[in-house]
Every structure is written in structure tokens, then in C-alpha cells.
Amino acid sequence: MESFIRWDTVVDLLLGIGLSAATGFRVFVPFLVLSAAAVLGHVDLPASFDWIETNQALIVLAVASLLEVTGYYIPWLDHMLDIVATPAAIFAGTLVTAAATSGMNPLLHWTLAIIAGGGTAGLTKGMGNLVRILSSSVSAGLSNPLVATIELAFAVLLTALAIVLPAATGILVIASLLITFQKIRRFLAKTPAQINPSEVETRPNNPEPIVPQS
């Protein structure tokens, strides 16, 4: 229980949540930023993730990030990438949260990583996929590059903020997800109420005749 009440553990978890949200926008970009920060000495990662701190990892992650970012600017390929990137984002969110948190019981460690990290990345990625689908249906895909640019900006910004202000970023991500779900729930609740049954009987194209009551 001590790991639950220690402030540094909470900050590490919030750092993982912030980075997980970033992986929901782009899978490799948060790892690239983490690797660059670790190589430059700004982040001290657990020993099991020392591979991220190497120059070789930095180069590989840079190439992977470039390919991923470029792919989202190619019509129709962006939707195919979403199919592959969704489970990859959940895995990446789990991994990056596990990297951010350490010193816990292994069972608790990976449980939090899967629920908090993988869950946050999955939710963020799911909402991004929905926005891309709506963008494609409304603009025939013409606005998808703008959506891709905004997602990339969020990935970089969230990662940078998570490193500099981990607690504030994690709280911001949690609050944003809660507000978004609240708005979606209210929207879905109001949609059926927009249909007035009395209007159905008075429509001119109503196939059923209205029989006056005697």
C-alpha cells in the first residue's frame, strides 16, 4: 500500500499516462522524444529500458517515426495505418508507462501499466480514429492531412510536457478524457429527444393517414 501513497510513485504514473496519451496520437514519436531526452541526459530511465538511451535506438526510432508520420499524409494509407496502429498504440502505452514507473511489486507494476497506460493510449487512439473517419466522410479525405498535422503536434507537445511537467500533464490528460466522454454521453442522450413523435403524424409524406377520433 505504500506505493499508492508515495508522491513520487503518483508522479511516475502520471508521467506514464501523459506519454501513453501521446502514443495514441503517434506510436513512435513519444519513444523518439524519450530516447533523445535520455541520450542528452535529461531523463533517467530504469535499467531494463537502457536500450532507449543508445544512439542506435535513437536512429531506429527516428526512421520509424519518419515513416509513420509520412504515412498519415498519404490518402487511404492513413486508414490502413489506423488498423495496425491501434493495437500497437495500446502496447506502446503499456510499455511506456512500465518504463516510467518502477520500484513496485511486479504484479501491481504491470497491472497499472496495462490499465492506465494501455487504456489511455487505446482511448486516445480510438478518438483519433473516429475524428479521421468523420473527416473522410465530410471532406472526402481532403482535410485528413490537417488532422494528421494536429495529431503529430499533440504527440510532440504531450511528450514534451510529460517530461517537463509530468504531474500536470497526466492530470490534464485524465481531465480531458473525462470531459470528452461526458460530452459524448450527453450528445448521445440528447439525440433521441430531437425526434418529436407529434411531428411524425403531421408530415405530408407520412404514408399512414390520420384518422380523426370520433
Side-chain angles (χ1 to χ4, degrees):
M1 296 298 295
E2 182 182 356
S3 59
F4 278 107
I5 60 177
R6 288 178 55 186
W7 173 244
D8 56 347
T9 301
V10 175
V11 172
D12 289 342
L13 182 59
L14 291 173
L15 168 63
I17 291 175
L19 294 174
S20 298
T23 62
F25 291 108
R26 288 295 179 270
V27 175
F28 293 105
V29 169
F31 286 98
L32 173 62
V33 177
L34 265 182
S35 179
V39 169
L40 294 175
H42 295 300
V43 176
D44 186 17
L45 298 176
S48 58
F49 293 93
D50 283 344
W51 61 272
I52 297 181
E53 302 183 24
T54 64
N55 291 326
Q56 294 83 353
L58 181 61
I59 295 174
V60 172
L61 290 171
V63 173
S65 298
L66 178 61
L67 293 175
E68 181 186 21
V69 170
T70 303
Y72 275 100
Y73 287 98
I74 301 176
W76 303 112
L77 181 59
D78 53 355
H79 292 288
M80 297 179 63
L81 283 175
D82 279 339
I83 297 176
V84 179
T86 299
I90 296 175
F91 175 79
T94 302
L95 185 62
V96 78
T97 301
T101 57
S102 59
M104 298 183 184
N105 176 278
L107 178 61
L108 176 61
H109 181 205
W110 286 104
T111 300
L112 287 176
I114 293 172
I115 296 176
T120 299
L123 291 174
T124 306
K125 184 60 181 173
M127 288 188 291
N129 294 347
L130 179 60
V131 170
R132 199 181 324 280
I133 292 173
L134 293 176
S135 172
S136 298
S137 61
V138 172
S139 66
L142 296 178
S143 61
N144 284 15
L146 176 60
V147 174
T149 302
I150 294 174
E151 288 178 337
L152 176 60
F154 272 122
V156 175
L157 180 62
L158 277 176
T159 305
L161 286 176
I163 295 175
V164 178
L165 301 170
T169 305
I171 293 174
L172 177 63
V173 168
I174 295 174
S176 299
L177 290 175
L178 291 176
I179 292 173
T180 301
F181 276 114
Q182 186 72 6
K183 289 184 176 180
I184 293 176
R185 187 184 66 83
R186 289 179 180 177
F187 174 78
L188 295 176
K190 289 181 179 180
T191 300
Q194 295 176 351
I195 302 177
N196 190 343
S198 62
E199 295 179 356
V200 177
E201 298 182 354
T202 58
R203 290 175 185 171
N205 59 349
N206 190 0
E208 295 294 334
I210 300 176
V211 180
Q213 298 293 331
S214 56

